[in-house]
Amino acid sequence: MRRLLPLLLLAALPAWAQQDLQPLPAVPPPPPGMEAFDAALEPQVTIVKTEKESREEFRIKGKLYMVKVTPAVGPAYYLVDRQGDGNFVEADIAPNPVKPPMWIIHSW
């Protein structure tokens, strides 16, 4: 135990040496052409609740691009307008989608 104490003191020496810390420099301004936060680019979310489901409608600049449907029973799913033509298809946004195994059992 007596040999361990000097080793611990030597290991703690760098921490004691850093007592004269200097402040960080100021953050530089953003480069020219970079705009500040634009609220128009943030999605607008509208929540519609009914007895059977809850829908979250996501819009950017007033255009609906995604709907999250949460039914009263079952998992939530997303409908996404991928091409901007108003046709919504079910999207696989879930973190762990179900992928059944597709192994070849036998072939001839």
Side-chain angles (χ1 to χ4, degrees):
M1 187 68 169
R2 289 184 180 178
R3 291 183 184 181
L4 185 60
L5 185 61
L7 289 175
L8 289 175
L9 289 175
L10 283 175
L13 190 62
W16 286 327
Q18 293 182 358
Q19 295 301 324
D20 57 339
L21 297 176
Q22 301 295 324
L24 293 174
V27 177
M34 296 288 294
E35 296 179 6
F37 174 73
D38 188 6
L41 296 177
E42 285 292 311
Q44 301 165 340
V45 181
T46 305
I47 299 174
V48 179
K49 293 185 178 184
T50 62
E51 292 179 8
K52 296 183 179 182
E53 67 185 14
S54 172
R55 287 189 324 263
E56 297 177 33
E57 299 174 349
F58 296 84
R59 290 180 171 81
I60 290 185
K61 295 183 180 178
K63 183 167 172 92
L64 182 66
Y65 72 93
M66 182 173 70
V67 179
K68 177 184 178 184
V69 181
T70 306
V73 177
Y77 59 93
Y78 292 84
L79 300 173
V80 179
D81 183 9
R82 296 200 186 271
Q83 298 175 348
D85 57 359
N87 293 327
F88 288 85
V89 294
E90 190 169 355
D92 196 14
I93 300 178
N96 296 320
V98 176
K99 295 181 181 178
M102 303 222 176
W103 299 313
I104 297 174
I105 304 291
H106 180 66
S107 86
W108 60 91

